[in-house]
Amino acid sequence: MTNEEFINEFKILKHQLVESYFSSDTDISRIKGLKGAGLSEEQIALVRNLSGEILTDALYTILLGLDGCASIGEKQAEFKIEDEDGNILGGGDLESLAWEAFHGSNT
């Protein structure tokens, strides 16, 4: 796996989570609860957008933390990330790739 593929997996995860939370036919759907709380379609759309932003911030920060560019919680350290084929990921390259994936023009 390359750094680009690793980052893309996080981007896919974010998309899958948001879609699943806001689809009525998934096990983790939150639509029923939001509608039950009296939220309008407009309010649900706002919650969906906020959820996407929250996941972006969390996943982006985790990626930076794994690369040693940010803290995860209170500690900051660079981690060695290795896939099952022995490919070393990270090495300071995740920060710019994560920025482009989560905040760039193709988000």
XYZ file of all heavy atoms in Angstrom:
821
model
N 0.852 -1.176 0.000
C 0.000 0.000 0.000
C 0.893 1.232 0.000
O 1.888 1.283 0.692
C -0.909 -0.026 1.235
C -1.835 1.154 1.332
S -2.946 1.135 2.756
C -4.078 -0.132 2.259
N 0.497 2.222 -0.740
C 1.220 3.490 -0.770
C 0.596 4.465 0.222
O -0.515 4.250 0.713
C 1.171 4.115 -2.180
O -0.188 4.483 -2.471
C 1.706 3.157 -3.238
N 1.304 5.552 0.482
C 0.745 6.602 1.337
C -0.560 7.137 0.761
O -1.513 7.388 1.496
C 1.746 7.746 1.508
C 2.880 7.399 2.436
O 2.776 6.503 3.267
N 3.986 8.100 2.291
N -0.616 7.301 -0.552
C -1.822 7.808 -1.211
C -2.993 6.856 -0.997
O -4.113 7.288 -0.708
C -1.579 8.015 -2.713
C -0.640 9.155 -3.041
C 0.844 8.766 -3.028
O 1.187 7.593 -2.702
O 1.667 9.642 -3.322
N -2.738 5.555 -1.141
C -3.798 4.561 -0.940
C -4.261 4.545 0.516
O -5.449 4.421 0.798
C -3.305 3.175 -1.359
C -3.084 3.036 -2.848
C -2.326 1.774 -3.229
O -1.500 1.292 -2.428
O -2.563 1.281 -4.344
N -3.313 4.681 1.438
C -3.626 4.713 2.866
C -4.541 5.891 3.185
O -5.582 5.736 3.828
C -2.322 4.796 3.661
C -2.481 4.712 5.149
C -2.925 3.551 5.763
C -2.145 5.796 5.954
C -3.055 3.476 7.145
C -2.273 5.724 7.328
C -2.726 4.561 7.926
N -4.181 7.062 2.700
C -4.992 8.266 2.914
C -6.366 8.087 2.286
O -7.387 8.433 2.874
C -4.298 9.516 2.325
C -2.984 9.803 3.029
C -5.227 10.731 2.345
C -3.086 10.259 4.451
N -6.407 7.533 1.078
C -7.682 7.350 0.389
C -8.616 6.430 1.169
O -9.831 6.620 1.158
C -7.455 6.815 -1.026
C -8.704 6.899 -1.861
O -9.343 7.953 -1.944
N -9.086 5.799 -2.478
N -8.074 5.437 1.872
C -8.907 4.557 2.690
C -9.618 5.342 3.792
O -10.777 5.077 4.114
C -8.085 3.411 3.286
C -7.593 2.409 2.257
C -8.724 1.704 1.522
O -9.712 1.307 2.171
O -8.615 1.557 0.285
N -8.946 6.328 4.366
C -9.572 7.177 5.380
C -10.663 8.044 4.757
O -11.708 8.255 5.358
C -8.525 8.054 6.076
C -7.778 7.347 7.162
C -6.709 6.516 6.863
C -8.135 7.503 8.486
C -6.014 5.860 7.861
C -7.457 6.856 9.498
C -6.392 6.026 9.183
N -10.414 8.546 3.566
C -11.419 9.354 2.872
C -12.647 8.504 2.544
O -13.786 8.955 2.718
C -10.813 9.947 1.604
C -11.686 10.965 0.936
C -10.968 11.636 -0.217
C -11.889 12.622 -0.900
N -11.245 13.284 -2.029
N -12.422 7.276 2.104
C -13.533 6.357 1.828
C -14.308 6.071 3.109
O -15.541 6.061 3.113
C -13.009 5.054 1.183
C -12.521 5.326 -0.241
C -14.081 3.972 1.192
C -11.735 4.177 -0.858
N -13.587 5.837 4.212
C -14.233 5.572 5.498
C -15.144 6.735 5.889
O -16.289 6.528 6.295
C -13.183 5.334 6.584
C -13.708 5.212 8.008
C -14.633 4.013 8.161
C -12.547 5.144 8.986
N -14.653 7.954 5.752
C -15.478 9.126 6.092
C -16.757 9.126 5.259
O -17.855 9.290 5.790
C -14.699 10.413 5.853
C -15.545 11.657 6.082
C -15.021 12.843 5.350
C -16.111 13.894 5.297
N -15.781 15.010 4.459
N -16.613 8.927 3.963
C -17.769 8.920 3.072
C -18.758 7.818 3.462
O -19.970 8.054 3.541
C -17.314 8.745 1.629
C -18.434 8.664 0.645
N -19.159 9.764 0.252
C -18.972 7.609 -0.001
C -20.091 9.379 -0.598
N -20.001 8.079 -0.775
N -18.246 6.620 3.739
C -19.109 5.496 4.117
C -19.860 5.775 5.414
O -21.043 5.459 5.529
C -18.293 4.213 4.250
C -17.794 3.661 2.945
C -16.838 2.489 3.131
O -16.171 2.361 4.164
N -16.752 1.646 2.115
N -19.178 6.349 6.381
C -19.828 6.642 7.662
C -20.938 7.672 7.495
O -22.053 7.480 7.991
C -18.801 7.123 8.689
C -17.878 6.057 9.244
C -16.759 6.694 10.063
C -18.647 5.039 10.062
N -20.654 8.762 6.802
C -21.677 9.799 6.604
C -22.866 9.225 5.839
O -24.026 9.422 6.230
C -21.099 11.037 5.893
C -22.202 12.016 5.499
C -20.072 11.742 6.776
N -22.603 8.496 4.767
C -23.688 7.905 3.988
C -24.511 6.934 4.832
O -25.738 6.914 4.744
C -23.138 7.196 2.742
C -22.590 8.134 1.694
C -23.600 9.152 1.202
O -24.742 8.765 0.888
O -23.248 10.350 1.147
N -23.851 6.141 5.646
C -24.560 5.155 6.475
C -25.374 5.818 7.582
O -26.486 5.397 7.873
C -23.569 4.170 7.081
O -22.975 3.388 6.074
N -24.826 6.860 8.204
C -25.564 7.555 9.255
C -26.835 8.207 8.723
O -27.839 8.299 9.416
C -24.717 8.650 9.908
C -23.624 8.164 10.823
C -22.452 8.889 10.974
C -23.739 6.990 11.560
C -21.439 8.466 11.821
C -22.736 6.560 12.395
C -21.588 7.304 12.527
O -20.589 6.884 13.356
N -26.785 8.669 7.471
C -27.893 9.443 6.930
C -28.653 8.716 5.830
O -29.343 9.340 5.035
C -27.381 10.813 6.483
C -26.915 11.633 7.653
C -25.596 11.597 8.061
C -27.816 12.377 8.391
C -25.173 12.312 9.177
C -27.405 13.095 9.497
C -26.080 13.054 9.892
N -28.566 7.402 5.801
C -29.384 6.557 4.933
C -30.322 5.770 5.838
O -29.907 5.263 6.874
C -28.517 5.585 4.136
O -27.665 6.280 3.275
N -31.557 5.644 5.442
C -32.532 4.997 6.321
C -32.422 3.479 6.330
O -32.984 2.826 7.203
C -33.953 5.409 5.925
O -34.197 5.065 4.581
N -31.668 2.902 5.415
C -31.627 1.446 5.296
C -30.311 0.816 5.770
O -29.915 -0.234 5.287
C -31.919 1.037 3.850
C -30.917 1.622 2.871
O -30.167 2.543 3.241
O -30.898 1.142 1.718
N -29.622 1.445 6.715
C -28.384 0.878 7.241
C -28.516 0.609 8.735
O -29.367 1.188 9.413
C -27.185 1.823 7.009
O -27.392 3.026 7.762
C -27.011 2.158 5.538
N -27.653 -0.254 9.241
C -27.677 -0.606 10.662
C -27.288 0.557 11.568
O -27.678 0.589 12.734
C -26.740 -1.787 10.936
C -27.251 -3.083 10.330
O -28.464 -3.183 10.056
O -26.424 -4.001 10.128
N -26.510 1.493 11.050
C -26.066 2.609 11.894
C -26.789 3.918 11.566
O -26.371 4.980 12.001
C -24.534 2.802 11.825
C -24.084 3.213 10.420
C -23.801 1.562 12.295
C -22.634 3.662 10.358
N -27.879 3.834 10.830
C -28.637 5.026 10.449
C -29.076 5.822 11.678
O -29.484 5.262 12.691
C -29.868 4.632 9.638
O -30.648 5.781 9.364
N -28.992 7.125 11.562
C -29.455 8.028 12.622
C -30.684 8.829 12.182
O -31.178 9.675 12.929
C -28.335 8.987 13.018
C -27.073 8.324 13.532
C -27.361 7.469 14.751
N -26.152 6.954 15.365
C -25.761 5.689 15.316
N -26.483 4.801 14.654
N -24.670 5.293 15.915
N -31.189 8.556 10.992
C -32.321 9.310 10.435
C -33.560 9.194 11.317
O -34.218 10.189 11.610
C -32.627 8.841 8.994
C -31.489 9.226 8.053
C -33.945 9.397 8.488
C -31.300 10.711 7.874
N -33.886 7.989 11.739
C -35.087 7.779 12.548
C -35.034 8.609 13.834
O -36.009 9.257 14.207
C -35.226 6.292 12.868
C -36.520 5.902 13.523
C -36.578 4.391 13.710
C -37.906 3.930 14.213
N -37.962 2.478 14.403
N -33.896 8.609 14.481
C -33.744 9.392 15.707
C -33.830 10.881 15.468
O -34.436 11.617 16.259
N -33.239 11.343 14.373
C -33.294 12.770 14.062
C -34.710 13.210 13.727
O -35.172 14.249 14.200
C -32.340 13.085 12.908
C -30.847 12.917 13.212
C -30.020 13.021 11.933
C -30.382 13.914 14.248
N -35.402 12.397 12.935
C -36.790 12.723 12.610
C -37.673 12.617 13.848
O -38.574 13.429 14.050
C -37.295 11.809 11.496
C -36.704 12.149 10.148
C -37.252 11.268 9.045
C -36.666 11.682 7.700
N -37.147 10.838 6.597
N -37.398 11.622 14.687
C -38.152 11.458 15.925
C -37.964 12.626 16.873
O -38.845 12.925 17.680
N -36.834 13.285 16.784
C -36.574 14.461 17.612
C -37.211 15.719 17.030
O -37.093 16.796 17.606
C -35.068 14.665 17.760
N -37.865 15.555 15.867
C -38.577 16.680 15.274
C -37.750 17.532 14.330
O -38.183 18.624 13.964
N -36.606 17.055 13.918
C -35.786 17.834 13.002
C -36.392 17.828 11.603
O -36.879 16.799 11.131
C -34.360 17.288 12.935
C -33.370 17.852 13.972
C -33.737 17.425 15.371
C -31.965 17.442 13.632
N -36.338 18.967 10.970
C -36.815 19.095 9.594
C -35.745 18.554 8.645
O -34.608 18.299 9.053
C -37.076 20.570 9.267
O -35.845 21.285 9.233
N -36.101 18.399 7.385
C -35.133 17.939 6.381
C -33.953 18.911 6.298
O -32.806 18.484 6.141
C -35.802 17.781 5.017
C -36.812 16.647 4.959
C -36.212 15.270 5.235
O -35.067 15.007 4.816
O -36.903 14.461 5.888
N -34.239 20.193 6.410
C -33.179 21.200 6.377
C -32.238 21.044 7.575
O -31.022 21.148 7.433
C -33.794 22.600 6.361
C -32.778 23.717 6.245
C -33.450 25.073 6.185
O -34.067 25.380 5.141
O -33.355 25.811 7.188
N -32.802 20.794 8.743
C -31.985 20.608 9.937
C -31.167 19.313 9.849
O -30.011 19.273 10.261
C -32.865 20.603 11.177
C -33.455 21.966 11.487
C -34.537 21.903 12.547
O -35.349 20.974 12.558
N -34.551 22.893 13.428
N -31.768 18.270 9.301
C -31.043 17.010 9.122
C -29.881 17.209 8.154
O -28.780 16.691 8.373
C -31.994 15.888 8.664
C -32.941 15.522 9.808
C -31.220 14.661 8.181
C -34.059 14.566 9.424
N -30.089 17.985 7.100
C -29.010 18.285 6.158
C -27.876 19.035 6.858
O -26.693 18.770 6.602
C -29.539 19.084 4.974
N -28.224 19.938 7.769
C -27.222 20.665 8.524
C -26.433 19.708 9.421
O -25.201 19.774 9.482
C -27.879 21.762 9.368
C -26.951 22.559 10.278
C -25.915 23.318 9.471
C -27.756 23.513 11.143
N -27.142 18.798 10.104
C -26.472 17.812 10.957
C -25.552 16.924 10.110
O -24.440 16.602 10.519
C -27.504 16.957 11.732
C -26.832 15.808 12.465
C -28.282 17.827 12.709
N -26.011 16.559 8.922
C -25.188 15.743 8.019
C -23.901 16.487 7.654
O -22.811 15.914 7.702
C -25.984 15.401 6.761
C -25.205 14.580 5.763
C -25.953 14.423 4.450
N -25.139 13.729 3.489
C -25.409 12.535 3.013
N -26.501 11.893 3.385
N -24.603 11.967 2.140
N -24.027 17.747 7.285
C -22.845 18.540 6.941
C -21.893 18.676 8.117
O -20.674 18.545 7.956
C -23.248 19.914 6.422
C -23.888 19.852 5.057
O -23.696 18.901 4.304
N -24.674 20.859 4.726
N -22.449 18.930 9.298
C -21.614 19.037 10.494
C -20.923 17.714 10.802
O -19.745 17.702 11.182
C -22.461 19.483 11.694
C -22.910 20.933 11.685
C -23.901 21.179 12.818
C -21.729 21.867 11.802
N -21.635 16.612 10.622
C -21.047 15.293 10.862
C -19.868 15.051 9.917
O -18.830 14.529 10.326
C -22.098 14.196 10.674
O -23.133 14.344 11.608
N -20.033 15.444 8.666
C -18.942 15.314 7.706
C -17.736 16.143 8.103
O -16.596 15.691 8.011
N -17.987 17.363 8.572
C -16.896 18.227 9.009
C -16.187 17.667 10.240
O -14.956 17.716 10.346
C -17.418 19.632 9.286
C -17.844 20.366 8.026
C -18.448 21.725 8.320
O -18.294 22.243 9.449
O -19.078 22.281 7.399
N -16.963 17.127 11.171
C -16.386 16.541 12.386
C -15.511 15.344 12.023
O -14.389 15.199 12.519
C -17.490 16.149 13.378
C -18.152 17.402 13.947
C -16.945 15.258 14.492
C -19.471 17.155 14.645
N -16.025 14.478 11.158
C -15.232 13.316 10.730
C -13.979 13.746 9.978
O -12.910 13.151 10.148
C -16.077 12.369 9.887
C -17.063 11.521 10.670
C -18.048 10.824 9.731
C -16.329 10.493 11.522
N -14.096 14.780 9.147
C -12.919 15.302 8.446
C -11.860 15.724 9.444
O -10.694 15.338 9.332
C -13.303 16.487 7.539
O -14.097 15.997 6.469
C -12.075 17.195 6.983
N -12.252 16.528 10.429
C -11.295 17.006 11.427
C -10.669 15.857 12.204
O -9.455 15.826 12.421
C -11.965 17.984 12.394
C -12.331 19.307 11.738
O -11.848 19.583 10.627
O -13.126 20.052 12.349
N -11.492 14.898 12.622
C -10.981 13.782 13.428
C -10.039 12.896 12.627
O -8.925 12.578 13.090
C -12.156 12.958 13.975
N -10.445 12.498 11.428
C -9.613 11.605 10.626
C -8.339 12.301 10.157
O -7.256 11.702 10.168
C -10.407 11.050 9.450
C -11.559 10.122 9.839
C -12.417 9.789 8.629
C -11.053 8.861 10.511
N -8.440 13.553 9.776
C -7.265 14.325 9.364
C -6.270 14.429 10.523
O -5.067 14.211 10.345
C -7.715 15.710 8.887
C -6.593 16.636 8.512
C -5.858 16.425 7.348
C -6.279 17.739 9.295
C -4.831 17.288 6.997
C -5.256 18.603 8.949
C -4.534 18.375 7.798
O -3.512 19.230 7.450
N -6.770 14.716 11.715
C -5.899 14.836 12.879
C -5.239 13.504 13.221
O -4.055 13.461 13.571
C -6.685 15.382 14.090
O -7.231 16.655 13.741
C -5.809 15.518 15.318
N -5.980 12.412 13.120
C -5.392 11.090 13.366
C -4.263 10.824 12.376
O -3.179 10.361 12.768
C -6.467 9.985 13.290
C -7.400 10.089 14.489
C -5.823 8.593 13.215
C -8.657 9.248 14.375
N -4.501 11.108 11.105
C -3.452 10.889 10.104
C -2.215 11.729 10.391
O -1.084 11.227 10.303
C -3.992 11.178 8.701
C -4.959 10.130 8.166
C -5.727 10.660 6.964
C -4.207 8.850 7.812
N -2.414 12.990 10.753
C -1.275 13.826 11.106
C -0.582 13.312 12.358
O 0.647 13.322 12.452
C -1.712 15.281 11.295
C -1.586 16.172 10.063
C -2.374 15.651 8.899
C -1.946 17.598 10.385
N -1.381 12.830 13.312
C -0.799 12.278 14.530
C 0.036 11.042 14.259
O 1.120 10.862 14.839
N -0.429 10.178 13.390
C 0.333 8.978 13.037
C 1.655 9.335 12.364
O 2.651 8.630 12.501
C -0.488 8.072 12.114
C -1.694 7.396 12.739
C -2.499 6.665 11.667
C -1.281 6.432 13.847
N 1.660 10.438 11.649
C 2.856 10.883 10.934
C 3.764 11.745 11.811
O 4.823 12.177 11.371
C 2.439 11.655 9.687
C 3.400 11.484 8.532
O 4.106 10.456 8.481
O 3.432 12.357 7.646
N 3.337 12.011 13.053
C 4.150 12.802 13.972
C 4.000 14.296 13.800
O 4.741 15.073 14.398
N 3.037 14.728 12.992
C 2.852 16.155 12.711
C 1.842 16.818 13.640
O 1.659 18.036 13.579
C 2.398 16.346 11.264
S 3.551 15.708 10.056
N 1.150 16.049 14.455
C 0.160 16.582 15.394
C 0.040 15.601 16.552
O 0.464 14.447 16.445
C -1.197 16.750 14.708
N -0.531 16.060 17.629
C -0.737 15.161 18.761
C -2.047 14.410 18.589
O -2.981 14.889 17.958
C -0.736 15.938 20.077
O -1.804 16.859 20.101
N -2.069 13.215 19.126
C -3.312 12.455 19.252
C -3.609 12.481 20.744
O -2.936 11.820 21.520
C -3.166 11.011 18.741
C -2.805 11.004 17.261
C -4.452 10.227 18.985
C -2.524 9.626 16.688
N -4.563 13.295 21.139
C -4.775 13.528 22.564
C -3.710 14.485 23.060
O -3.512 15.550 22.496
N -2.983 14.067 24.071
C -1.975 14.937 24.659
C -0.557 14.633 24.203
O 0.351 15.404 24.449
C -2.051 14.843 26.185
C -3.366 15.354 26.730
C -3.446 15.258 28.241
O -2.489 14.795 28.882
O -4.488 15.656 28.778
N -0.340 13.518 23.549
C 1.015 13.104 23.182
C 1.238 13.252 21.687
O 0.362 12.987 20.883
C 1.241 11.641 23.567
C 0.899 11.345 25.012
C 2.110 11.003 25.782
C 1.649 10.598 27.172
N 2.397 10.969 28.212
N 2.448 13.668 21.350
C 2.825 13.762 19.950
C 4.066 12.907 19.735
O 5.070 13.077 20.423
C 3.102 15.206 19.541
C 3.460 15.340 18.080
C 3.521 16.784 17.619
O 3.065 17.674 18.320
N 4.074 17.009 16.440
N 3.972 11.975 18.810
C 5.092 11.103 18.474
C 4.900 10.607 17.056
O 3.775 10.523 16.559
C 5.147 9.913 19.427
N 6.007 10.302 16.383
C 5.907 9.718 15.048
C 5.774 8.207 15.200
O 6.475 7.580 15.978
C 7.142 10.053 14.221
C 7.015 9.605 12.784
C 8.177 10.068 11.919
O 8.936 10.959 12.344
O 8.326 9.530 10.817
N 4.851 7.632 14.472
C 4.611 6.196 14.538
C 5.151 5.531 13.287
O 5.175 6.132 12.207
C 3.104 5.910 14.657
C 2.518 6.379 15.945
C 2.055 7.685 16.072
C 2.428 5.532 17.031
C 1.512 8.127 17.269
C 1.888 5.971 18.226
C 1.428 7.270 18.339
N 5.554 4.305 13.434
C 5.959 3.500 12.282
C 4.735 2.705 11.854
O 4.195 1.904 12.608
C 7.091 2.549 12.660
C 7.559 1.697 11.504
C 8.703 0.788 11.924
C 9.097 -0.117 10.777
N 10.130 -1.072 11.191
N 4.289 2.952 10.629
C 3.107 2.284 10.095
C 3.582 1.362 8.980
O 4.234 1.798 8.037
C 2.091 3.300 9.534
C 1.786 4.385 10.565
C 0.827 2.594 9.091
C 1.126 5.599 9.982
N 3.235 0.102 9.113
C 3.659 -0.891 8.141
C 2.454 -1.717 7.718
O 1.688 -2.179 8.550
C 4.713 -1.800 8.794
C 5.310 -2.831 7.894
C 6.389 -3.637 8.599
O 7.092 -3.098 9.485
O 6.523 -4.825 8.277
N 2.277 -1.896 6.395
C 1.172 -2.732 5.943
C 1.585 -4.202 6.009
O 2.720 -4.524 6.363
C 0.670 -2.314 4.564
C 1.617 -2.635 3.419
O 2.610 -3.350 3.624
O 1.350 -2.167 2.294
N 0.652 -5.089 5.694
C 0.921 -6.519 5.831
C 1.965 -7.037 4.852
O 2.509 -8.127 5.038
C -0.361 -7.328 5.700
C -1.066 -7.169 4.384
C -2.430 -7.831 4.368
O -3.041 -8.018 5.431
O -2.889 -8.158 3.273
N 2.298 -6.245 3.831
C 3.352 -6.628 2.887
C 4.713 -6.068 3.285
O 5.688 -6.250 2.557
C 2.993 -6.148 1.475
C 1.766 -6.849 0.917
O 1.561 -8.042 1.239
O 1.009 -6.201 0.170
N 4.758 -5.374 4.420
C 6.014 -4.807 4.892
C 6.324 -3.425 4.358
O 7.398 -2.893 4.622
N 5.406 -2.828 3.607
C 5.616 -1.472 3.106
C 5.477 -0.479 4.253
O 4.500 -0.525 5.001
C 4.599 -1.124 2.018
C 4.714 -2.017 0.816
O 5.797 -2.226 0.297
N 3.595 -2.559 0.369
N 6.453 0.400 4.391
C 6.427 1.427 5.430
C 5.648 2.630 4.896
O 5.919 3.131 3.804
C 7.855 1.862 5.820
C 8.682 0.655 6.279
C 7.806 2.948 6.891
C 8.191 -0.010 7.535
N 4.676 3.061 5.678
C 3.851 4.206 5.314
C 4.216 5.390 6.189
O 4.762 5.233 7.279
C 2.373 3.862 5.490
C 1.883 2.642 4.709
C 0.487 2.254 5.148
C 1.932 2.912 3.226
N 3.856 6.558 5.749
C 4.092 7.767 6.539
C 5.423 8.390 6.183
O 5.668 8.744 5.043
N 6.281 8.516 7.172
C 7.593 9.108 6.948
C 7.539 10.591 6.646
O 8.372 11.117 5.927
N 6.522 11.273 7.198
C 6.389 12.708 6.982
C 5.612 13.077 5.735
O 5.392 14.245 5.468
N 5.192 12.071 4.954
C 4.479 12.348 3.711
C 2.963 12.414 3.870
O 2.267 12.836 2.954
C 4.800 11.272 2.660
C 6.242 11.314 2.210
O 6.866 12.385 2.302
O 6.744 10.268 1.761
N 2.442 11.977 5.000
C 0.992 11.912 5.147
C 0.344 13.286 5.266
O -0.787 13.478 4.828
C 0.611 11.060 6.362
C 1.016 9.584 6.326
C 0.532 8.874 7.582
C 0.497 8.891 5.078
N 1.064 14.233 5.837
C 0.466 15.548 6.103
C -0.054 16.205 4.827
O -1.224 16.596 4.751
C 1.476 16.470 6.789
C 0.905 17.835 7.094
C 1.883 18.744 7.798
O 3.093 18.457 7.811
O 1.420 19.759 8.327
N 0.758 16.329 3.818
C 0.323 17.016 2.598
C -0.720 16.201 1.841
O -1.673 16.762 1.284
C 1.510 17.334 1.688
O 2.149 16.137 1.272
N -0.573 14.886 1.840
C -1.556 14.029 1.173
C -2.910 14.095 1.880
O -3.959 14.136 1.235
C -1.059 12.589 1.122
C 0.195 12.351 0.271
C 0.725 10.944 0.507
C -0.107 12.582 -1.195
N -2.894 14.098 3.206
C -4.128 14.185 3.981
C -4.793 15.539 3.779
O -6.018 15.626 3.655
C -3.849 13.933 5.464
N -3.992 16.596 3.729
C -4.567 17.922 3.495
C -5.306 17.944 2.165
O -6.442 18.404 2.082
C -3.492 19.007 3.527
C -4.072 20.334 3.137
C -4.035 20.938 1.916
C -4.852 21.195 3.969
N -4.729 22.134 1.928
C -5.248 22.312 3.185
C -5.254 21.133 5.302
C -6.015 23.338 3.691
C -6.018 22.176 5.809
C -6.392 23.261 5.008
N -4.667 17.443 1.137
C -5.293 17.462 -0.191
C -6.554 16.603 -0.206
O -7.567 16.988 -0.768
C -4.307 16.979 -1.256
C -4.852 17.071 -2.656
C -5.277 18.471 -3.080
O -4.630 19.465 -2.678
O -6.277 18.572 -3.828
N -6.508 15.435 0.434
C -7.651 14.518 0.429
C -8.851 15.083 1.194
O -9.987 14.915 0.778
C -7.251 13.171 1.016
N -8.593 15.753 2.309
C -9.690 16.206 3.169
C -10.031 17.684 3.033
O -11.121 18.098 3.418
C -9.379 15.877 4.628
C -9.527 14.426 4.935
C -8.433 13.581 4.979
C -10.777 13.871 5.187
C -8.566 12.236 5.257
C -10.934 12.523 5.449
C -9.813 11.709 5.492
N -9.093 18.483 2.527
C -9.344 19.926 2.454
C -9.088 20.517 1.063
O -9.387 21.681 0.826
C -8.464 20.675 3.454
C -8.705 20.277 4.873
N -9.838 20.618 5.568
C -7.956 19.534 5.732
C -9.773 20.125 6.793
N -8.660 19.459 6.907
N -8.518 19.736 0.179
C -8.143 20.236 -1.138
C -9.322 20.411 -2.074
O -10.488 20.252 -1.696
N -9.017 20.681 -3.313
C -10.042 20.984 -4.311
C -10.870 19.775 -4.703
O -11.955 19.926 -5.247
C -9.385 21.593 -5.554
O -8.421 20.680 -6.077
N -10.403 18.561 -4.428
C -11.125 17.339 -4.817
C -11.874 16.698 -3.658
O -12.116 15.505 -3.675
C -10.150 16.330 -5.423
C -9.547 16.821 -6.703
O -10.201 17.506 -7.473
N -8.291 16.496 -6.922
N -12.251 17.468 -2.657
C -12.928 16.877 -1.482
C -14.402 16.709 -1.700
O -15.027 17.301 -2.498
C -12.701 17.744 -0.220
O -13.168 19.060 -0.471
C -11.249 17.761 0.141
